[in-house]
């Protein structure tokens, strides 16, 4: 048997109705905040992620799906391509390539689509997963560096989760400062780690030498009490970074968005500067991040573009749906408004014509088959629709149809011209 590859999933009804509900709700919220949709390719040059996300990160060093591709069918020359592990680098590449900064305006862009990471699959962690994300980016003259942008994005996320009906989320917030602040902090950490790192895990010993800040990502239980004693990044921030963060917090307080500060939240991608955040949910288990994001004031320049500070986030759509499923027990089964049962194969064509007529009036119609016995039609219809319409020779000639409503068991004679109105009535009548 051929199965879907490890870490991938089929999304089936009725769950797909929940995916569509989530996407429709977020589109409404994005609209209210004046975001516009962007669609970038699912694969990009490998170099984009190496430079944007960072060679040293887990994503780039071990999780990417990368291959050599020939630029032309017969050519010897190859280029390295990668299935996107995230979408921020692609959006910023597109911003640079299409000179969106030349408009002088803030670009507020959102995306919904699949991402790929070769991670060890578990609940809430897949190799193909879907992100709903947004980025606010533009020249500094458009206000892209303002702390109000950070606060607005966070306030939008709180609204969005509430709108989706997700309860019990928690916003964790930190500032990782400017590139210079981080370099300073790395040195402070390196010194502090000298004294303790020999009793830490091998990964931390390596990180202490290469990129000390990554020690804060360590999940090994025995290392946690040691990490808790390390200096915090807040003490290494310069005046401008501190002031920016203070203004973000003040705006969140004013908007009554609850948050907690987490000094260890440095995030696993190298492009972040200043504000970083995650929204977590206790119901998700080990993979508890519903979404993550932050500021990336130097990313455009890292990719060879103009100065274009930005801030954004990506939500794990799989994790949003998991949370909703856990909250609602199960997605409700969506039933068709009616099932048309033609009595005999000679009535199939007339049944299709009736289905077309009703569908054009906005009804959800399931079409049976004239080869079914009436008993079988009843059984199938009862599972898929709220009502069943019987279409025999007599009904066709007279224009009066018999409709059975399953919830009440009542059969009603309805003229064809009044059928659409009848079918929109609640099925309990
Ligand atoms: P990230 O934290 O790597 O950030 O991913 C964002 C979210 O995607 C996570 O919080 C999680 O919900 C979901 N996610 C990540 N990996 C998986 C996986 N293997 N399976 C299921 N869900 C997953 C980014 O990707 C940044 N681009 C976010 C961003 C946008 N920062 C600024 N702008």
């Amino acid at each position: 048997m051929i199965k879907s590859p490890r870490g991938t999933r089929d999304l089936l009804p009725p769950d797909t109705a929940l995916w569509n509900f989530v996407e429709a709700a977020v589109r409404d919220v994005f609209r209210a905040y004046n975001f516009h949709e962007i669609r970038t390719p699912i694969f990009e040059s490998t170099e984009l992620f190496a430079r944007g996300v960072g060679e040293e990160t887990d994503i780039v060093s071990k999780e990417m799906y990368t291959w050599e591709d020939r630029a032309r069918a017969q050519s010897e020359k190859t280029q390295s391509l990668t299935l996107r592990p995230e979408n921020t680098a692609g959006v910023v590449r597109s911003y640079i390539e299409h000179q969106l900064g030349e408009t002088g305006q803030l670009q507020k862009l959102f995306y919904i689509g699949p991402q790929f990471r070769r991670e060890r699959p578990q609940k809430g962690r897949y190799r193909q997963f879907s992100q709903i994300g947004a980025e606010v980016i533009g020249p500094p003259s458009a206000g892209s560096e303002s702390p109000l942008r950070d606060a607005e994005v966070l306030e939008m996320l709180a609204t969005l989760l509430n709108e989706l009906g997700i309860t019990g989320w928690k916003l964790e917030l930190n500032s990782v400062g400017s590139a210079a602040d981080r370099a300073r902090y790395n040195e402070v950490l390196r010194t502090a780690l000298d004294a303790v790192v020999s009793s830490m895990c091998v990964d931390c010993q390596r990180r202490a030498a290469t990129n000390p800040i990554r020690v804060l990502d360590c999940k090994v239980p025995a290392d946690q009490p040691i990490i808790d004693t390390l200096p915090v990044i807040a003490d290494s921030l310069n005046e401008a970074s501190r002031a920016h963060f203070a203004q973000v917090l003040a705006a969140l307080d004013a908007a009554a968005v609850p948050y907690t500060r987490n000094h260890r939240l440095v995030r696993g991608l190298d492009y972040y500067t200043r504000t970083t955040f995650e929204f977590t949910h206790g119901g998700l288990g080990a993979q508890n991040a519903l979404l993550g994001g932050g500021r990336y004031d130097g990313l455009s320049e890292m990719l060879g573009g103009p100065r274009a500070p930005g801030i954004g986030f990506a939500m794990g759509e799989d994790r949003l749906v998991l949370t909703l499923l856990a909250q609602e027990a199960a997605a409700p089964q969506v039933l068709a408004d009616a099932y048309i049962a033609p009595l005999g194969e000679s009535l199939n064509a007339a049944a299709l014509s009736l289905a077309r007529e009703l569908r054009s009036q906005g009804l959800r119609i399931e079409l049976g088959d004239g080869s079914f016995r009436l008993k079988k039609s009843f059984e199938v219809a009862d599972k898929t629709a709220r009502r069943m319409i019987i279409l025999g020779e007599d009904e066709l000639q007279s224009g009066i149809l018999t409709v059975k409503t399953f919830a009440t068991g009542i059969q009603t004679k309805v003229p064809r011209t009044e059928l659409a109105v009848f079918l929109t009535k609640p099925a309990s009548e």
Side-chain angles (χ1 to χ4, degrees):
M1 203 208 333
I2 301 176
K3 292 190 172 169
S4 77
R6 184 169 149 80
T8 70
R9 309 184 291 157
D10 298 310
L11 305 175
L12 305 173
D15 290 3
T16 38
L18 210 47
W19 285 74
N20 283 319
F21 161 74
V22 166
E23 289 171 19
V26 299
R27 280 175 191 277
D28 279 351
V29 173
F30 284 140
R31 196 179 169 283
Y33 287 77
N34 200 27
F35 277 79
H36 297 272
E37 184 168 5
I38 181 170
R39 301 189 189 194
T40 63
I42 283 181
F43 57 88
E44 298 266 5
S45 301
T46 305
E47 194 191 349
L48 173 67
F49 304 112
R51 272 166 56 185
V53 177
E55 303 261 20
E56 293 281 306
T57 60
D58 279 357
I59 294 178
V60 174
S61 64
K62 38 187 188 199
E63 294 171 0
M64 296 205 302
Y65 289 95
T66 297
W67 70 100
E68 289 297 314
D69 205 6
R70 270 198 287 277
R72 295 206 166 66
Q74 304 302 328
S75 155
E76 291 290 293
K77 241 178 97 185
T78 63
Q79 55 180 341
S80 181
L81 299 177
T82 292
L83 289 181
R84 63 184 187 195
E86 62 102 51
N87 216 346
T88 308
V91 168
V92 177
R93 178 208 42 75
S94 180
Y95 173 93
I96 298 167
E97 188 169 334
H98 300 286
Q99 293 158 9
L100 300 183
E102 298 287 298
T103 61
Q105 279 163 13
L106 215 52
Q107 301 295 313
K108 296 169 74 177
L109 306 165
F110 79 88
Y111 48 83
I112 300 176
Q115 320 291 332
F116 305 84
R117 297 182 192 177
R118 191 185 286 105
E119 294 194 80
R120 195 170 50 75
Q122 64 180 93
K123 181 186 163 205
R125 188 164 71 192
Y126 312 99
R127 291 180 165 187
Q128 174 174 337
F129 57 98
S130 177
Q131 280 186 344
I132 299 174
E135 313 292 347
V136 182
I137 179 171
S141 59
S144 56
E145 263 185 304
S146 164
L148 181 58
R149 300 278 73 90
D150 309 35
E152 188 186 24
V153 162
L154 290 164
E155 185 277 326
M156 174 172 83
L157 284 165
T159 301
L160 221 161
L161 293 177
N162 293 344
E163 208 60 38
L164 286 172
I166 291 182
T167 51
W169 54 261
K170 192 172 150 203
L171 163 58
E172 297 187 21
L173 208 54
N174 194 19
S175 173
V176 296
S178 65
D181 294 339
R182 255 200 332 283
R184 195 164 40 243
Y185 180 55
N186 253 331
E187 282 323 302
V188 172
L189 261 190
R190 205 186 295 276
T191 312
L193 281 165
D194 274 347
V196 289
V197 78
S198 58
S199 49
M200 298 180 78
C201 71
V202 286
D203 276 341
C204 281
Q205 300 192 6
R206 182 178 43 82
R207 291 168 180 142
T210 57
N211 196 0
I213 204 166
R214 289 274 151 257
V215 165
L216 304 187
D217 297 335
C218 175
K219 298 276 185 312
V220 175
D223 287 358
Q224 302 311 308
I226 305 176
I227 295 171
D228 287 341
T229 65
L230 293 172
V232 296
I233 196 162
D235 295 333
S236 292
L237 300 187
N238 68 17
E239 209 32 64
S241 299
R242 278 172 209 253
H244 182 98
F245 196 46
Q247 289 182 57
V248 175
L249 299 185
L252 288 178
D253 288 337
V257 175
Y259 58 85
T260 53
R261 288 183 62 179
N262 176 353
H263 292 293
R264 284 179 57 175
L265 189 71
V266 290
R267 310 261 306 129
L269 300 91
D270 279 353
Y271 49 62
Y272 288 113
T273 54
R274 304 198 195 190
T275 314
T276 51
F277 57 85
E278 276 179 12
F279 281 69
T280 57
H281 196 281
L284 280 167
Q287 300 305 317
N288 69 349
L290 274 175
L291 67 93
R295 217 167 230 295
Y296 44 85
D297 292 342
L299 179 55
S300 172
E301 287 134 300
M302 276 154 67
L303 298 175
R307 181 151 165 64
I311 180 163
F313 65 85
M315 311 195 273
E317 195 178 358
D318 303 74
R319 296 185 190 176
L320 287 179
V321 171
L322 272 177
T323 308
L324 286 173
L325 278 174
Q327 277 181 203
E328 294 178 10
Q333 168 101 32
V334 178
L335 292 176
D337 294 308
Y339 178 101
I340 301 176
L343 298 182
E345 285 172 68
S346 63
L347 286 149
N348 273 350
L352 178 62
S353 163
L354 177 61
R356 186 171 198 214
E357 192 177 306
L358 295 173
R359 285 168 179 156
S360 74
Q361 297 181 74
L363 291 159
R364 187 193 286 259
I365 301 297
E366 185 63 55
L367 183 56
D369 190 285
S371 68
F372 289 3
R373 289 170 189 281
L374 195 54
K375 183 165 174 285
K376 174 164 176 182
S377 288
F378 270 118
E379 282 167 12
V380 178
D382 194 18
K383 289 201 191 84
T384 53
R386 297 185 295 135
R387 293 188 167 94
M388 179 165 119
I389 304 168
I390 297 168
L391 184 66
E393 247 346 297
D394 289 351
E395 283 81 2
L396 192 61
Q397 296 309 324
S398 66
I400 308 282
L401 294 136
T402 306
V403 182
K404 171 151 182 165
T405 301
F406 291 114
T408 56
I410 296 171
Q411 296 209 148
T412 320
K413 298 269 185 217
V414 186
R416 185 163 178 159
T417 48
E418 292 166 24
L419 200 50
V421 173
F422 179 83
L423 294 176
T424 50
K425 286 190 194 165
S428 52
E429 284 178 28

